[in-house]
Amino acid sequence: MKHILSALMILTLFISCTKDNNPTVDYTAKNEQEIKDYIAKNNLTAQRSASGLYYVINNPGTGTQPTASSNVTVAYNGYFTDGTVFDKSPDAGISFGLQQVIKGWTEGIPYFKTGGDGVLLVPSHLGYGSYNYQGIPGGSVLIFDVKLISVN
């Protein structure tokens, strides 16, 4: 009996320590509506990909078109649907590999060719998910005005 109680206590401790105290929340429906509302309010003509990424191509560009594994230089403004800016690149842009960024960028930047610009409307599952990340609240829709400066 003593061994059974000890085993139950250890099992209970193990289960409580492995419990996820920050459960993942599915924001898909909420994000979808938030993006649709933003598109309507701002009179945008956006396309939706199968993954749920919305994008607006203001200028497709005429140069090289990157792939999801390209290294690119992009100038951008990142903000929430309420207009609050959370990030901005220098005007000269910033370079990075498209496999090193959020899924919304890995998918969205290849819609443009060099010199192209537009808007990426990124639902949280293609951004930072349901967790807070460096001042970005979990579940946030992220909007980026982007300009593809070069494919490196």
Side-chain angles (χ1 to χ4, degrees):
M1 184 69 164
K2 183 177 176 182
H3 294 293
I4 292 173
L5 283 174
S6 294
L8 284 175
M9 286 175 53
I10 291 171
L11 183 59
T12 302
L13 180 61
F14 177 75
I15 290 172
S16 67
C17 288
T18 60
K19 243 185 198 180
D20 187 359
N21 292 328
N22 296 315
T24 301
V25 177
D26 185 358
Y27 288 96
T28 305
K30 179 182 178 288
N31 287 175
E32 182 76 13
Q33 190 59 54
E34 187 175 343
I35 291 170
K36 286 180 178 180
D37 292 347
Y38 182 87
I39 289 169
K41 178 181 175 186
N42 292 280
N43 200 27
L44 299 175
T45 302
Q47 296 183 8
R48 183 185 188 278
S49 74
S51 70
L53 174 71
Y54 282 83
Y55 59 97
V56 177
I57 299 176
N58 295 328
N59 170 11
T62 57
T64 304
Q65 188 162 12
T67 66
S69 61
S70 293
N71 184 287
V72 297
T73 301
V74 176
Y76 68 90
N77 284 325
Y79 50 96
F80 302 116
T81 56
D82 69 1
T84 303
V85 175
F86 62 83
D87 196 11
K88 178 182 175 155
S89 73
D91 291 342
I94 187 168
S95 298
F96 49 81
L98 286 177
Q99 293 179 325
Q100 301 169 318
V101 292
I102 61 172
K103 293 176 186 177
W105 277 56
T106 303
E107 178 184 344
I109 297 298
Y111 288 122
F112 304 96
K113 294 180 181 176
T114 301
D117 66 81
V119 181
L120 299 177
L121 300 107
V122 182
S124 62
H125 71 276
L126 298 175
Y128 296 106
S130 60
Y131 299 99
N132 297 339
Y133 179 79
Q134 296 184 357
I136 298 173
S140 294
V141 170
L142 308 175
I143 302 174
F144 296 95
D145 293 328
V146 297
K147 178 174 183 157
L148 179 57
I149 296 171
S150 66
V151 178
N152 308 320

